[in-house]
């Protein structure tokens, strides 16, 4: 095995979603579900278990999964072109385009942060993509901290962030007034 350090450029894709009914239902779902992980996961705040098995039961989860899956396909097509110019020709051929077009959410959960609560540094490898979706964050709410890049990606209401699954990320502690809601998950 060889270890090689490279300087990769990571792209964080954003999509602003305007669906207040879905957002209200997501917050209600997170609050009514409550903490199911006892702070044992990377999230040191209220965190639900995976909602994906409830997709048909919870229309807000189904709607968000459909939006994210479609966006992941679009971003996979863009990412394919960033990797190498010759990928365009290959992207039009099966099985390459089938792999890109098959992107879908396979795990999704909700988080509710209070003041000083964090998510420790982690990634979602081997997932192709990871995502975070923010609902009505309070003023001065912490953004998504990209650990290796030492940069904070700002968040806002209705914003979806999609990034490659190997990207190390975390949430830093800040003083919040109210709750910071986030729905997170992975796409393969």
């Amino acid at each position: 095995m060889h270890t090689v350090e490279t300087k990769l450029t990571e792209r964080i894709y954003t999509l602003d979603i305007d669906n207040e009914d879905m957002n209200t239902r997501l917050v209600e779902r997170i609050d009514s579900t409550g903490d199911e992980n006892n702070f044992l996961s990377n999230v040191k705040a209220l965190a639900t278990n995976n909602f994906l098995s409830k997709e048909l039961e919870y229309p807000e989860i189904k709607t968000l999964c459909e939006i994210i899956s479609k966006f992941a396909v679009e971003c996979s097509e863009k990412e394919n072109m960033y990797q190498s110019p010759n990928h365009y020709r290959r992207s039009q051929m099966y099985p390459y385009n089938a792999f890109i077009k098959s992107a879908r959410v396979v795990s999704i959960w909700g988080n509710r942060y209070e003041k000083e609560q964090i998510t420790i540094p982690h990634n979602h490898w081997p997932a192709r993509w990871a995502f975070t979706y923010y609902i009505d964050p309070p003023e001065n709410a912490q953004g998504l901290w990209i650990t290796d890049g030492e940069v904070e990606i700002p968040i806002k209401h209705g914003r979806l962030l999609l990034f490659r699954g190997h990207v190390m990320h975390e949430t830093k502690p800040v003083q919040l007034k109210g709750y910071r809601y986030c729905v997170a998950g992975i796409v393969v």
Side-chain angles (χ1 to χ4, degrees), residues 45-98:
L46 180 148
T48 70
N49 284 335
N50 189 358
F51 281 133
L52 200 60
S53 63
K54 307 282 188 182
E55 182 180 6
L56 299 177
E57 194 177 328
Y58 301 156
E60 65 278 8
I61 300 298
K62 182 178 183 190
T63 299
L64 186 58
C65 285
E66 288 170 352
I67 292 168
I68 293 168
S69 295
K70 181 180 179 211
F71 187 57
V73 168
E74 294 169 12
C75 295
S76 294
E77 290 169 343
K78 290 177 185 174
E79 196 66 27
N80 183 46
M81 296 313 299
Y82 283 121
Q83 299 301 319
S84 173
N86 76 343
H87 282 201
Y88 176 76
R89 182 180 50 78
R90 287 191 345 198
S91 71
Q92 305 306 305
M93 302 169 7
Y94 181 85
Y96 298 105
N97 61 354

Side-chain angles (χ1 to χ4, degrees), residues 13-17 67-68 70-71 74 132-133 157-162:
Y13 295 93
T14 61
L15 177 67
D16 292 332
I17 302 169
I67 292 168
I68 293 168
K70 181 180 179 211
F71 187 57
E74 294 169 12
T132 54
Y133 177 68
H157 177 64
R159 173 147 295 167
L160 171 68
L161 301 177
L162 184 77

Side-chain angles (χ1 to χ4, degrees), residues 86-121:
N86 76 343
H87 282 201
Y88 176 76
R89 182 180 50 78
R90 287 191 345 198
S91 71
Q92 305 306 305
M93 302 169 7
Y94 181 85
Y96 298 105
N97 61 354
F99 181 71
I100 288 173
K101 302 233 183 271
S102 68
R104 64 183 169 77
V105 175
V106 296
S107 188
I108 183 170
W109 58 91
N111 303 318
R112 186 184 76 197
Y113 297 84
E114 297 179 31
K115 65 180 179 179
E116 297 294 322
Q117 291 182 329
I118 64 168
T119 298
I120 61 174

Side-chain angles (χ1 to χ4, degrees), residues 8 10 145-153 167-170:
L8 291 176
E10 295 298 343
W145 183 259
I146 305 301
T147 310
D148 293 337
E150 297 184 356
V151 64
E152 184 176 26
I153 307 300
V167 173
M168 291 293 293
H169 58 285
E170 63 187 286

Side-chain angles (χ1 to χ4, degrees), residues 39-51:
F39 289 56
L40 297 175
S41 72
N42 298 320
V43 178
K44 304 307 176 193
L46 180 148
T48 70
N49 284 335
N50 189 358
F51 281 133

